[in-house]
């Protein structure tokens, strides 16, 4: 494979190492990839199995799937694994990902998100035929006012320790790409939702609390605006980037589905009440407005026109459709 910063090259996608493949998005990506007829290769899922991991991914049965438990900070082990499994591509999801936890304690976020990414890149530096895709977040750009969108040229202004750790890891990826001429791509994505998300995050938390009759905590007045992307659409975007994206390029992945937290909660309540044949007012009565998160970003929105124009990807799943699928899966998992 020819390499270079913004170089054109032919990428082999036969043996893919997915870091954090037991997490919410990584596991959706693996399942998505194993369903694609244009992917005939093998996947090695490398995950430490922290509290956020989905244990089902350790026993997933597929002839082209392999699970290995391990830490992305264990560089020597990763180097052996890359050689042993003849890895040609790394898709890097592994991270500490919950903003509230990063506010309580930032150190694990720097350790995993910054140092872990550095260790992976050091390993790739020794095996530079490997392509490295880094999964990042719109939160690196900071917050927006009422209008406008972030794009690939927006300056970095992270506001939470989580966002700062992701921003730092993005910079390390860029520096290794330029300095050591590694083959990399990087994507920023808006809020994901879908089956299998750890229930500390907004949508699964609200579903579980509705069903258990617990309070539905909404930060401030619930006026913060987020763009919501169905997780399988994110998986499709990453697969598109791996197949067609140019080395050295950054792609922003958004759905154009902006909702305030409070309006999203009302929509979720209506759909959940329909599914469970409950009175939505019963769920609405559980809403509690709680003290806002410190440094809470007001609005995120991404301009996804580059990935649409250059690679032909766009978000396919309307929010109500994705929410119905999500609700069905959480309700199924509870019985
Ligand atoms: N969830 C979102 O809405 C969203 C949006 C944009 C970007 N992202 C990014 O996507 C990626 C995946 O997010 P997610 O929501 O699936 O996260 P998640 O918290 O659900 O999963 C993270 C996974 O990483 C694993 N992990 C953590 N530390 C590890 C380590 N040291 N070594 C190996 N594995 C480790 C965990 O066990 C877990 O399985 C992250 O990089 C996150 O920053 C997430």
């Amino acid at each position: 494979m020819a390499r270079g910063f913004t170089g054109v090259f032919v990428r082999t996608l036969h043996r893919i190492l997915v870091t954090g493949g037991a997490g919410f998005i990584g596991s959706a990506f693996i399942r998505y990839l194993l369903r694609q007829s244009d992917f005939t290769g093998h996947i090695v899922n490398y995950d430490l199995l922290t509290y956020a991991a989905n244990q089902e991914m350790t026993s997933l049965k597929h002839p082209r799937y392999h699970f290995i438990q391990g830490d992305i900070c264990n560089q020597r082990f990763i180097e052996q694994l890359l050689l042993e499994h003849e890895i040609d591509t790394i898709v890097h999801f592994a991270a500490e990902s919950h903003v509230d936890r990063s506010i309580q304690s930032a150190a694990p976020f720097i350790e995993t998100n910054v140092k872990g990414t550095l260790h992976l890149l050091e390993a790739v530096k020794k095996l530079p035929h490997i392509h490295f895709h880094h999964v990042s977040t719109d939160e690196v750009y900071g917050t927006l006012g009422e209008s406008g969108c972030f794009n690939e040229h927006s300056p970095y202004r992270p506001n939470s320790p989580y966002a700062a750790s992701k921003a730092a890891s993005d910079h390390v990826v860029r520096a290794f790409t330029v300095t050591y001429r590694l083959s990399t791509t990087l994507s920023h994505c808006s809020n994901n939702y879908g089956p299998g998300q750890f229930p500390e995050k907004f949508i699964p938390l609200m579903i579980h609390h509705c069903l258990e009759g617990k309070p539905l905590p909404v930060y401030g007045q619930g006026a913060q605006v987020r763009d919501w992307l169905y997780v399988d659409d994110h998986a499709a975007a990453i697969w598109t980037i791996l197949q067609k994206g140019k080395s050295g390029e950054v792609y922003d992945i958004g759905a154009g589905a902006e909702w305030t937290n409070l309006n999203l909660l009302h929509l979720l309540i209506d759909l959940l009440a329909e599914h469970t044949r409950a009175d939505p007012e019963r769920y609405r009565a559980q809403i509690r407005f709680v003290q806002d998160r410190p440094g809470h970003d007001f609005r995120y929105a991404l301009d996804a026109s580059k990935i649409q124009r250059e690679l032909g990807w766009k978000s396919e799943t309307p929010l109500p459709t994705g929410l119905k699928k999500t609700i069905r899966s959480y309700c199924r998992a509870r019985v």
Side-chain angles (χ1 to χ4, degrees):
M1 181 179 65
R3 285 172 281 112
F5 191 57
T6 72
V8 176
F9 59 94
V10 179
R11 195 171 293 145
T12 45
L13 296 162
H14 298 318
R15 305 193 68 91
I16 301 183
L17 180 83
V18 176
T19 72
F24 166 50
I25 307 175
S27 60
F29 175 73
I30 289 171
R31 290 179 200 276
Y32 172 88
L33 206 48
L34 292 173
R35 291 195 300 270
Q36 302 312 302
S37 55
D38 57 353
F39 176 68
T40 52
H42 290 250
I43 297 174
V44 176
N45 177 2
Y46 184 72
D47 194 301
L48 186 57
L49 298 180
T50 69
Y51 77 94
N54 178 349
Q55 298 288 333
E56 279 173 23
M57 294 307 286
T58 62
S59 54
L60 179 74
K61 296 278 178 274
H62 192 286
R64 293 183 285 118
Y65 171 80
H66 193 67
F67 177 81
I68 297 172
Q69 183 174 7
D71 189 336
I72 53 169
C73 293
N74 189 346
Q75 191 184 319
R76 189 173 295 178
F77 186 65
I78 290 164
E79 287 172 11
Q80 281 167 4
L81 188 158
L82 294 176
L83 284 171
E84 208 173 292
H85 290 267
E86 299 175 55
I87 297 297
D88 54 46
T89 307
I90 297 176
V91 185
H92 176 35
F93 293 95
E96 288 294 337
S97 70
H98 191 45
V99 176
D100 288 342
R101 284 178 189 261
S102 80
I103 294 168
Q104 279 159 20
S105 174
F109 286 73
I110 302 301
E111 195 62 37
T112 297
N113 301 359
V114 186
K115 289 198 194 161
T117 303
L118 172 67
H119 286 298
L120 289 169
L121 288 163
E122 289 286 6
V124 173
K125 197 173 112 188
K126 293 185 182 167
L127 298 165
H129 62 283
I130 294 175
H131 178 77
F132 184 86
H133 180 77
H134 184 60
V135 179
S136 189
T137 170
D138 56 2
E139 300 193 29
V140 299
Y141 297 129
T143 187
L144 285 165
E146 297 282 350
S147 60
C149 279
F150 293 123
N151 65 30
E152 291 81 0
H153 302 291
S154 299
Y156 277 40
R157 291 200 177 97
N159 290 325
S160 70
Y162 162 68
S165 69
K166 293 297 292 187
S169 68
D170 288 8
H171 291 317
V172 179
V173 173
R174 182 189 153 86
F176 270 62
T177 308
V178 177
T179 305
Y180 304 112
R181 300 183 66 77
L182 300 187
S183 171
T184 70
T185 39
L186 190 155
S187 54
H188 299 116
C189 187
S190 56
N191 276 33
N192 282 218
Y193 70 98
Q197 192 168 23
F198 192 75
E200 65 189 355
K201 302 281 171 68
F202 188 80
I203 288 178
L205 182 94
M206 294 301 169
I207 294 174
H208 286 295
H209 280 208
C210 276
L211 297 174
E212 288 161 15
K214 289 184 181 164
L216 307 176
V218 175
Y219 280 131
Q221 294 305 305
Q224 292 84 7
V225 179
R226 300 290 180 263
D227 171 32
W228 291 93
L229 178 73
Y230 190 61
V231 67
D232 283 4
D233 287 345
H234 188 186
I238 293 175
W239 182 225
T240 303
I241 293 169
L242 290 177
Q243 290 177 297
K244 302 188 208 162
K246 264 200 213 159
S247 183
E249 289 289 323
V250 175
Y251 298 93
D252 284 358
I253 305 168
E258 286 186 49
W259 287 71
T260 67
N261 286 345
L262 188 58
N263 286 343
L264 176 70
L265 179 56
H266 283 302
L267 173 64
L268 186 66
I269 283 176
D270 287 336
L271 296 173
L272 183 65
E274 197 179 295
H275 182 80
T276 57
R277 299 199 175 92
D279 177 2
E281 296 314 314
R282 200 185 87 204
Y283 295 148
R284 274 191 240 289
Q286 293 167 223
I287 296 176
R288 299 284 179 276
F289 294 97
V290 300
Q291 192 180 12
D292 211 348
R293 170 194 275 167
H296 203 172
D297 288 336
F298 171 65
R299 178 170 164 260
Y300 305 132
L302 283 177
D303 172 1
S305 57
K306 176 178 172 182
I307 185 168
Q308 183 166 353
R309 192 180 55 249
E310 295 185 6
L311 309 185
W313 173 89
K314 69 177 174 36
S315 156
E316 299 284 346
T317 313
L319 184 68
T321 310
L323 284 179
K324 282 183 195 169
K325 288 190 199 177
T326 307
I327 287 169
R328 275 201 299 276
S329 89
Y330 287 116
C331 288
R332 243 196 332 265
R334 288 173 63 88
V335 287

